[in-house]
């Protein structure tokens, strides 16, 4: 019988599989950090984890709760500062970066600043932090989020972090380096971006989910890949590592 | 400059340091990052003295920002992030103040804020960057034109221009330099000659101190000059950059100070509960900030057993196994 899991566990396990061994990933705390830790314990032991606040390649002993947490530089190769990590991103030495946000549009632009008018916001969020920098400067950005119509919107109230901006060629025209959104992992599916138009495209449906369900939870027209796949559920081994070694306090997986 | 070396004239209490360097309306840079090494003893003193109309500049700030905003000390903020990780996805008093129009806020990114401090340290008026081109972070201004005097508030938020040297079709964003009136940081050690040592992540503390007109450093301990001279490559700031030194053990509480103590989940959870509610927040300020007569009294309120629980393990540098839920 297939093991039981919650949606947070599913998203973390799926995200971890995209992180190739030997690459560098910039993570925030929470689910992305859990995904990076799980990847290191499964297929990518040489994955380098970087925290924007200055922790470079730590041997993460316990789940940090902020990118400024002292755990982010435990047995690290460096406990550095923001100039060090941001120059690393700017020189194109970071392969993956995880982002989060309150709103995402079809080109993968993200809002983590506010709902409503910027000068008189209805809801204020924390702001960019390093998210805009990662989205601007890293090669492949990834998002893990719950799938809902209020989150996947036609237009972001504020574009905090750049995706493909207005579509193909827009990043280059704005002066941004090559790169952009790579995968969006939700509780319903995995999405990528159409090679030509740079519009969001369903690539893999999670167990028990169909295209209509995903479209029903999305506020814009979603493309569907002609190689639409079915997401492999978490394995027993992935779940054991995640629950016993990555997040025994359930700081992240307990939030599902 | 000779008189700026050594601790003579620099060693003072938090009250003296704040009185001397943190005045109504001044621009202050607050060091640390979310729940790590925030100069909290100074922050509480600023709140107690009811300093007003501060212009706060920071990258990713959490606890210090939230207490200063919540105590009504701040009028303007330039910042990249107002959050406290798991304890506050968005800082509560910050959020309320921005939504209520009580403070003006102008958003930048962590890279941009760090570079802006670096530009101030370089004594150049601006610095170029590739971060954020094409986004609202560059396009939306939070400060109104009437306060953009070109002095402590830049005449514009950002200026995008073509690379004047290489590819004419390649844009860069020019960011205005920051030169805060005062920079506040909490460090682990300061030597008897005023040298500063920071253990662990330095965030943008060094850049903001080099850019500021005055630097206040609170520290866990004062150590002999010869000790910090043994490993000069481990030192963060030379004595001549430091104006005030205040020894305050646990001076970053409830945020962490690597190798000395972890963040205090008990206090941050308490904070989370009170900061959401205006009445509870007012009572919290009365109890924990205004009503506390000394730093010793504050630590007594936190409690000896709790301070032991968050004490850093000598090897790990934090408190392994601490219940952080």
């Amino acid at each position: 019988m297939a093991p039981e899991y919650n949606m947070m566990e599913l998203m973390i396990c799926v995200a971890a599989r995209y992180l190739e061994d030997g690459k560098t990933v910039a993570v925030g705390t929470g689910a992305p950090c859990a995904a990076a830790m799980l990847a290191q314990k499964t297929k990518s032991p040489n994955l380098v984890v970087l925290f924007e606040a200055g922790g470079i390649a730590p041997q993460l002993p316990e789940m940090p709760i902020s990118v400024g947490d002292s755990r982010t530089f435990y047995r690290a190769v460096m406990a550095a500062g923001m100039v060090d990590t941001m120059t690393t991103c700017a020189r194109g030495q970071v392969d993956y970066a995880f982002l989060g946000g309150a709103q995402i549009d079809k080109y993968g632009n993200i809002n983590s600043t506010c709902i409503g008018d910027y000068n008189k916001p209805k809801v204020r969020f924390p702001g960019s932090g390093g998210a805009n920098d990662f989205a601007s400067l890293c090669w492949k950005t990834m998002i893990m989020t719950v799938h809902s119509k209020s989150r996947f919107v036609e237009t972001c109230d504020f574009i905090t972090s750049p995706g493909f901006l207005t579509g193909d060629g827009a990043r280059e025209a704005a002066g941004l380096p090559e790169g952009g959104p790579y995968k969006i992992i939700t509780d319903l599916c995995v999405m990528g971006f159409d090679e030509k138009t740079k519009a969001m495209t369903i690539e893999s449906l999670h167990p028990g989910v169909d295209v209509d369900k995903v479209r029903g939870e999305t506020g814009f027209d979603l493309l569907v890949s002609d190689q639409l796949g079915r997401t492999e559920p978490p394995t027993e081994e992935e779940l054991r590592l995640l629950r016993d070694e990555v997040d025994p306090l359930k700081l992240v997986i307990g939030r599902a | 400059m000779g008189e700026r070396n050594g601790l003579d004239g620099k060693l003072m209490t938090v009250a003296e340091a704040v009185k001397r360097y943190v005045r109504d309306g001044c621009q202050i840079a607050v060091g640390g990052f979310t729940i790590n090494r925030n100069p909290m003893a100074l922050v509480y003193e600023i709140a107690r003295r009811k300093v007003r109309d501060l212009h706060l500049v920071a990258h990713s700030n959490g606890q210090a920002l939230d207490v200063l905003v919540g105590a009504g000390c701040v009028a303007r903020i330039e910042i990249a992030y107002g959050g406290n990780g798991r304890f506050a996805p968005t800082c509560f008093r910050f959020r309320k103040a921005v939504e209520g129009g009580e403070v003006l806020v102008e958003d930048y990114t962590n890279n941009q804020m760090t570079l802006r401090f670096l530009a101030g340290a370089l004594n150049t008026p601006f610095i170029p960057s590739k971060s954020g081109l094409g986004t609202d972070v560059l396009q939306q201004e939070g400060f109104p034109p009437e306060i953009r005097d070109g002095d402590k508030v830049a005449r514009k938020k950002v200026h995008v221009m073509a690379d004047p040297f290489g590819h004419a079709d390649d844009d860069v964003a020019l960011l205005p330099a920051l030169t805060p009136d005062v920079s506040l940081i909490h460090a682990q050690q300061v030597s008897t000659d005023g040298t500063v040592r920071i253990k662990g992540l330095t965030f943008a503390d060094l850049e903001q101190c080099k850019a500021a007109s005055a630097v206040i450093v609170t520290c866990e301990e004062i150590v002999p000059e010869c000790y910090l001279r043994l490993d000069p490559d481990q030192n963060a700031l030379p004595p001549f950059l430091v104006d005030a030194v205040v020894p305050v053990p646990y001076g970053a509480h409830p945020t962490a100070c690597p190798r000395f103590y972890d963040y205090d989940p008990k206090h941050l959870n308490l904070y989370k509960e009170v900061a959401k509610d205006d009445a509870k927040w007012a009572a919290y300020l009365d109890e924990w900030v205004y009503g506390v007569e000394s730093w010793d009294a504050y630590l007594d309120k936190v409690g000896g057993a709790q301070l032991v629980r968050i004490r850093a393990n000598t090897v790990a540098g934090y408190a392994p196994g601490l219940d952080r839920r």
Side-chain angles (χ1 to χ4, degrees):
Chain A
M1 200 180 126
E4 287 188 14
Y5 52 86
N6 67 34
M7 282 306 146
M8 188 61 91
E9 291 171 330
L10 172 66
M11 288 195 285
I12 292 167
C13 291
V14 171
R17 296 172 192 161
Y18 284 102
L19 303 173
E20 289 176 53
D21 199 24
K23 301 281 189 182
T24 300
V25 58
V27 302
T29 41
C33 186
M37 289 168 80
L38 180 62
Q40 285 180 323
K41 289 174 192 295
T42 50
K43 58 189 272 282
S44 303
N46 302 304
L47 179 72
V48 172
V49 176
L50 177 140
F51 292 90
E52 72 202 53
I56 301 175
Q59 295 174 342
L60 287 166
E62 300 179 41
M63 184 71 67
I65 61 105
S66 153
V67 292
D69 196 316
S70 305
R71 288 155 188 79
T72 61
F73 58 93
Y74 179 74
R75 292 188 186 164
V77 296
M78 272 182 84
M82 220 117 66
V83 168
D84 304 89
T85 55
M86 289 301 169
T87 48
T88 303
C89 294
R91 286 306 308 269
Q93 284 158 337
V94 178
D95 300 291
Y96 310 104
F98 278 100
L99 308 170
Q103 293 180 325
I104 304 154
D105 70 17
K106 72 171 167 181
Y107 294 116
N109 302 304
I110 300 172
N111 175 11
S112 59
T113 302
C114 62
I115 297 291
D117 181 71
Y118 175 59
N119 292 105
K120 218 182 172 329
K122 248 185 265 161
V123 184
R124 172 69 207 203
F125 300 118
S128 162
N132 173 304
D133 308 308
F134 288 159
S136 295
L137 307 173
C138 300
W139 288 100
K140 294 175 172 177
T141 52
M142 296 169 73
I143 297 163
M144 298 168 75
T145 185
V146 172
H147 210 127
S148 75
K149 248 189 167 139
S150 62
R151 207 171 276 262
F152 286 85
V153 296
E154 186 70 43
T155 311
C156 289
D157 290 14
F158 186 101
I159 295 180
T160 311
S161 302
F164 291 111
L165 297 174
T166 53
D168 192 39
R171 281 181 69 95
E172 294 80 351
L176 287 174
E178 208 182 312
Y182 173 52
K183 300 292 174 200
I184 301 198
I185 296 147
T186 76
D187 53 338
L188 301 181
C189 64
V190 177
M191 294 174 287
F193 292 83
D194 182 67
E195 226 171 281
K196 281 209 188 89
T197 63
K198 306 295 184 195
M200 203 180 289
T201 306
I202 309 173
E203 291 184 346
S204 175
L205 294 164
H206 294 344
V209 177
D210 60 24
V211 169
D212 286 346
K213 168 82 175 155
V214 177
R215 284 190 161 145
E217 295 290 345
T218 307
F220 52 83
D221 286 336
L222 264 177
L223 304 178
V224 179
S225 167
D226 46 21
Q227 283 145 37
L228 181 66
R230 182 62 75 179
T231 310
E232 283 296 320
T235 65
E236 268 180 53
E237 179 64 2
E238 284 171 329
L239 289 169
R240 186 189 66 77
L241 289 166
L242 181 57
R243 291 167 184 170
D244 296 354
E245 295 184 21
V246 172
D247 189 18
L249 287 178
K250 300 195 187 307
L251 295 172
V252 178
I253 60 179
R255 285 190 301 188
Chain B
M1 297 290 281
E3 77 279 5
R4 301 195 72 191
N5 292 297
L7 285 179
D8 284 355
K10 292 186 191 175
L11 203 57
M12 55 186 88
T13 64
V14 280
E16 288 164 339
V18 169
K19 187 172 178 218
R20 189 175 303 182
Y21 294 106
V22 186
R23 305 216 163 89
D24 285 358
C26 79
Q27 189 182 75
I28 69 165
V30 180
F33 195 105
T34 61
I35 41 80
N36 202 326
R37 266 195 322 95
N38 284 213
M40 294 309 296
L42 289 168
V43 163
Y44 295 138
E45 181 62 21
I46 292 168
R48 262 192 296 274
R49 296 184 73 82
K50 300 205 161 53
V51 178
R52 290 294 177 260
D53 297 323
L54 291 175
H55 179 165
L56 179 72
V57 291
H59 41 84
S60 286
N61 206 259
Q63 199 63 16
L65 160 84
D66 212 43
V67 173
L68 287 173
V69 170
C73 304
V74 180
R76 300 168 186 174
I77 306 172
E78 293 179 60
I79 199 168
Y81 189 84
N84 245 356
R86 213 175 160 272
F87 295 104
T90 305
C91 283
F92 300 102
R93 302 315 300 181
F94 164 73
R95 178 180 165 175
K96 267 185 183 281
V98 177
E99 290 172 5
E102 294 157 36
V103 291
L104 291 172
V105 62
E106 188 144 281
D107 279 79
Y108 286 92
T109 73
N110 274 350
N111 188 30
Q112 290 170 342
M113 289 304 287
T114 304
L115 290 173
R116 295 181 67 201
F117 287 127
L118 182 60
L122 290 165
N123 209 11
T124 60
F126 54 82
I127 192 165
S129 162
K130 281 284 186 185
S131 278
L133 288 158
T135 68
D136 285 324
V137 173
L138 296 195
Q139 283 150 17
Q140 299 258 8
E141 300 210 337
F143 288 169
E146 58 269 24
I147 69 164
R148 295 193 171 278
D149 57 6
D151 181 21
K152 288 299 175 188
V153 181
R155 275 204 295 277
K156 59 195 285 197
K157 185 179 184 184
V158 67
H159 180 80
V160 176
M161 70 173 285
D163 169 9
F165 301 109
H167 302 281
D169 57 348
D170 190 25
D171 281 350
V172 292
L174 307 186
L175 305 162
L178 282 168
T179 50
D181 295 313
V182 59
S183 169
L184 319 178
I185 65 165
H186 183 75
Q188 284 88 353
Q189 294 171 323
V190 176
S191 72
T192 45
D193 72 342
T195 302
V196 179
R197 178 168 292 182
I198 292 175
K199 291 171 185 286
L201 309 174
T202 50
F203 314 117
D205 283 10
L206 311 185
E207 289 77 15
Q208 76 172 51
C209 287
K210 290 170 190 166
S213 304
V215 173
I216 308 177
V217 183
T218 55
C219 61
E220 290 299 318
E221 59 188 19
I222 303 284
V223 296
E225 176 183 342
C226 62
Y227 175 70
L228 293 200
R229 282 179 182 270
L230 277 177
D231 294 296
D233 52 328
Q234 297 299 304
N235 297 335
L237 292 171
F240 54 80
L241 285 181
V242 178
D243 297 278
V245 173
V246 189
V248 196
Y250 284 96
H253 182 275
T255 70
C257 186
R259 302 237 155 254
F260 283 75
Y261 47 92
D262 220 320
Y263 41 85
D264 184 345
K266 188 179 164 194
H267 196 90
L268 290 169
N269 279 322
L270 164 77
Y271 187 90
K272 181 176 167 179
E273 282 314 304
V274 301
K276 288 174 185 166
D277 179 274
D278 289 350
K280 284 184 189 166
W281 171 247
Y284 174 89
L285 282 179
D286 281 339
E287 182 184 348
W288 286 91
V289 182
Y290 306 140
V292 178
E293 63 195 25
S294 67
W295 191 246
D296 279 2
Y298 174 87
L299 294 181
D300 279 344
K301 276 184 71 60
V302 175
Q306 185 62 12
L307 293 177
V308 169
R309 270 180 222 119
I310 65 171
R311 191 174 62 182
N313 174 281
T314 311
V315 177
Y318 56 90
L322 176 68
D323 187 349
R324 297 177 292 131
R325 285 170 294 186

